[in-house]
Amino acid sequence: MKTIYALLICLFLASFTNAQDRYLTKKGTITFFSESPMENIEAKNNQVLSIVDVSNGQMAISILMKSFLFEKALMQEHFNENYVESDKYPKATFKGSILDFENISTSKTKIKVKGNLTIHGKTKEITIEAMTAKKDDVLKMTGEFFINLVDFDIEIPSVVKDNIAKSIKVSFNFNHEIYKK
Amino acid sequence: MKKIVLTTFVLIASIQLSAQDLFDVLDKEAPETENIVSATFKGTRIVNGHSVENRKEKELEFIIAHRFGAINTGVEDLFGLDISNIRFSFEYGLTDNLTAGLSRASVEKTYEGFLKYSLLKQKTGVNSFPFAISLFGSIAAKSEKTIPGIERARSFEESLFHTAQVLIARKINATVSVQLTPTYVHRNLTATFDDPHDIFATGLGTRVKLSKRVSLNAEYFYQFNKLDSIDTTNSLAFGVDIETGGHVFQIILANSRRMVEKSFITETTGNFFEGDIHLGFNLSRTF
């Protein structure tokens, strides 16, 4: 009987804390930048969904590939059609946790995030650094890291190998707000 | 002891659950998006005729196209390679939905101007719509002065041809796209009194993607009525599109050697299956 009580309390507490400690944004920004001898390519997506649970450091990010906007329409078409195959793989996702989430405070703090990044249907474990600050109802997270296209099976044809970098700089900026159901 | 084990288990389970849980929240919170279907065709042409694709605002596309003689002309003309028609075209995106083009074809020294307007987009998600619909209008002017059989020069009005098309396309899936192209061609001057001024036709086009950057295209124009003075056939053409960055390279086999709408739709005389096959290519570069 006691066990059941314990179980119920645990479940109750778990759901209770989750609801209180979640921070969500639907307007997160992710920018990627490819620097190459021939041209620089930049794309920006400011409709990224991200959620962080500060009670346990868990976080999840969902990125709609077709929401990346490029300077040239043809680049955007090629990005979706030929490189990330957005019809087949509409979303990129990140699922992971903030390793030192207990350090998050009102001042700017460096944290480590570890988890699985899935792009183009391929998943790779990454560990990156990010800056964070939690003030009032806003949890801010910013940072940048590099990804290798080869890790995600994104091929660059030889004719454009001077136009696209093999390693792409990814920057993110999320202003999560407290999530109320 | 049991209790502790159980409690720990539950705690772990609830934490493990939460990562999946977080995605559930994201899915629930994701705004419904309107998704415009893009890249129904690789190029602005299926083979000879226009596709629903437009150049975007401030993009300039330059197309250089060749069609050689018929393969069945034999070895003397090197299977048609000695004979070549050429067409240059500059096409500019005035807006994302409106393209204006200007071209010159060697056959009958024809100048052509066209406008293509993307009226409706194929969409999924919110406001979904099953087709992409574009409107195409062109005026072609023969600048060749002589009229066969008549001893006077052609007036400007007499040199004009008008073409109007409705392009209705659907990208069925990532691989296959189809297009129906009802077409109206008007010629101000006919070769004989029995020739109709107005010809109605419909195009059927498709593309099948063979790989990410290569597709196989086919296009057929059925004429509901035909010219009387020449024995015309319906235009049939096959093409392979190869795309590299800003270029689209199309290798073409067609029963027509002509590249302007009024010409290949209403003046084709070749029979594809009797060997009147013309090799050709379109080379497109977008700036």
Side-chain angles (χ1 to χ4, degrees), chain B residues 65-71 78-81 83-85 238 250-257 272 276-282:
Chain B
H66 273 86
R67 298 290 183 275
F68 297 103
I71 287 169
L78 199 62
F79 306 99
L81 293 184
I83 313 155
S84 166
N85 287 351
F238 298 93
Q250 294 180 297
I251 305 164
I252 289 158
L253 292 175
N255 67 344
S256 173
R257 203 149 70 88
F272 200 92
D276 298 328
I277 300 169
H278 302 269
L279 177 72
F281 61 83
N282 295 344

Side-chain angles (χ1 to χ4, degrees), chain A residues 48-166:
Chain A
V48 178
L49 286 122
S50 170
I51 188 164
V52 179
D53 189 329
V54 291
S55 69
N56 55 19
Q58 300 271 358
M59 68 179 296
I61 301 170
S62 175
I63 307 150
L64 205 58
M65 299 311 273
K66 283 202 172 164
S67 300
F68 276 102
L69 301 178
F70 289 70
E71 178 203 349
K72 289 184 184 168
L74 210 56
M75 283 178 179
Q76 193 166 328
E77 183 180 314
H78 291 160
F79 170 77
N80 286 308
E81 278 282 301
N82 302 341
Y83 295 95
V84 296
E85 299 178 88
S86 301
D87 283 331
K88 253 192 242 172
Y89 311 105
K91 279 179 190 170
T93 59
F94 176 79
K95 177 181 163 182
S97 53
I98 301 166
L99 298 179
D100 35 13
F101 64 93
E102 61 278 359
N103 294 346
I104 296 174
S105 71
T106 51
S107 59
K108 248 186 161 185
T109 318
K110 194 181 262 184
I111 48 160
K112 270 207 163 98
V113 182
K114 186 182 172 183
N116 289 319
L117 178 64
T118 305
I119 305 172
H120 193 230
K122 297 285 169 301
T123 302
K124 187 176 161 57
E125 191 180 87
I126 59 165
T127 305
I128 60 157
E129 283 183 344
M131 294 303 288
T132 185
K134 190 173 74 148
K135 243 181 216 159
D136 303 324
D137 286 348
V138 177
L139 174 70
K140 205 174 155 64
M141 270 181 87
T142 58
E144 58 181 56
F145 60 99
F146 282 84
I147 56 166
N148 293 317
L149 293 182
V150 67
D151 292 336
F152 300 98
D153 272 7
I154 297 169
E155 288 165 43
I156 305 171
S158 56
V159 284
V160 291
K161 70 176 193 311
D162 291 336
N163 299 61
I164 300 168
K166 290 180 182 68

Side-chain angles (χ1 to χ4, degrees), chain A residues 66 87, chain B residues 33-39 121-126:
Chain A
K66 283 202 172 164
D87 283 331
Chain B
T33 50
E34 180 184 276
N35 184 8
I36 294 174
V37 174
S38 64
K121 311 270 191 204
Q122 186 181 339
K123 286 177 191 169
T124 59
V126 193

Side-chain angles (χ1 to χ4, degrees), chain A residues 3 73 78 81-82 179, chain B residues 6 56 171 209 212 243 245:
Chain A
T3 325
H78 291 160
E81 278 282 301
N82 302 341
Y179 176 59
Chain B
L6 197 64
K56 298 295 183 288
K171 190 178 191 176
K209 257 175 118 173
K212 273 185 252 178
E243 177 194 78

Side-chain angles (χ1 to χ4, degrees), chain B residues 35-54:
Chain B
N35 184 8
I36 294 174
V37 174
S38 64
T40 305
F41 294 95
K42 283 202 186 295
T44 53
R45 304 299 193 285
I46 299 179
V47 184
N48 287 314
H50 276 266
S51 75
V52 285
E53 296 300 327
N54 267 40

Side-chain angles (χ1 to χ4, degrees), chain B:
Chain B
M1 191 61 201
K2 251 187 184 173
K3 256 189 278 179
I4 296 163
V5 171
L6 197 64
T7 315
T8 318
F9 176 76
V10 168
L11 268 172
I12 290 168
S14 68
I15 288 166
Q16 289 249 304
L17 267 173
S18 71
Q20 192 49 51
D21 220 20
L22 292 181
F23 273 116
D24 291 343
V25 176
L26 291 189
D27 282 343
K28 202 179 78 188
E29 292 294 324
E32 290 219 21
T33 50
E34 180 184 276
N35 184 8
I36 294 174
V37 174
S38 64
T40 305
F41 294 95
K42 283 202 186 295
T44 53
R45 304 299 193 285
I46 299 179
V47 184
N48 287 314
H50 276 266
S51 75
V52 285
E53 296 300 327
N54 267 40
R55 290 276 66 93
K56 298 295 183 288
E57 189 174 337
K58 289 179 185 161
E59 280 183 357
L60 176 70
E61 181 175 26
F62 175 57
I63 302 176
I64 179 164
H66 273 86
R67 298 290 183 275
F68 297 103
I71 287 169
N72 64 2
T73 50
V75 73
E76 196 194 328
D77 283 336
L78 199 62
F79 306 99
L81 293 184
D82 285 356
I83 313 155
S84 166
N85 287 351
I86 189 167
R87 179 172 183 246
F88 301 95
S89 185
F90 288 95
E91 305 179 2
Y92 184 72
L94 296 170
T95 72
D96 281 354
N97 294 324
L98 182 64
T99 301
L102 209 59
S103 77
R104 167 66 156 74
S106 60
V107 176
E108 298 169 338
K109 306 187 189 302
T110 307
Y111 290 88
E112 182 222 20
F114 77 82
L115 287 174
K116 182 159 69 170
Y117 180 68
S118 170
L119 187 66
L120 292 164
K121 311 270 191 204
Q122 186 181 339
K123 286 177 191 169
T124 59
V126 193
N127 303 325
S128 72
F129 189 72
F131 304 107
I133 300 177
S134 294
L135 304 176
F136 170 87
S138 75
I139 297 176
K142 283 184 187 182
S143 69
E144 205 172 58
K145 284 283 174 268
T146 55
I147 306 172
I150 299 175
E151 290 300 309
R152 64 175 176 85
R154 188 192 305 275
S155 74
F156 181 67
E157 283 73 23
E158 286 170 337
S159 72
L160 296 184
F161 296 79
H162 307 268
T163 303
Q165 293 181 315
V166 182
L167 296 78
I168 306 162
R170 176 165 170 79
K171 190 178 191 176
I172 296 172
N173 53 41
T175 310
V176 181
S177 300
V178 290
Q179 183 176 303
L180 183 73
T181 317
T183 301
Y184 163 69
V185 176
H186 175 85
R187 34 179 42 77
N188 281 358
L189 180 71
T190 58
T192 65
F193 287 115
D194 290 331
D195 271 352
H197 283 277
D198 302 312
I199 288 182
F200 296 91
T202 190
L204 291 166
T206 184
R207 79 101 191 247
V208 178
K209 257 175 118 173
L210 302 178
S211 76
K212 273 185 252 178
R213 292 175 181 81
V214 179
S215 77
L216 183 67
N217 298 3
E219 180 187 75
Y220 179 70
F221 277 91
Y222 177 79
Q223 300 175 86
F224 294 106
N225 59 329
K226 291 181 177 183
L227 290 176
D228 181 68
S229 56
I230 50 171
D231 189 16
T232 69
T233 53
N234 291 326
S235 166
L236 176 66
F238 298 93
V240 175
D241 284 12
I242 302 161
E243 177 194 78
T244 59
H247 297 275
V248 178
F249 186 64
Q250 294 180 297
I251 305 164
I252 289 158
L253 292 175
N255 67 344
S256 173
R257 203 149 70 88
R258 303 179 167 201
M259 291 165 272
V260 175
E261 269 65 24
K262 70 98 186 164
S263 303
F264 68 83
I265 295 171
T266 70
E267 296 164 7
T268 294
T269 53
N271 186 325
F272 200 92
F273 300 102
E274 284 173 9
D276 298 328
I277 300 169
H278 302 269
L279 177 72
F281 61 83
N282 295 344
L283 178 61
S284 139
R285 167 77 204 176
T286 302
F287 298 94

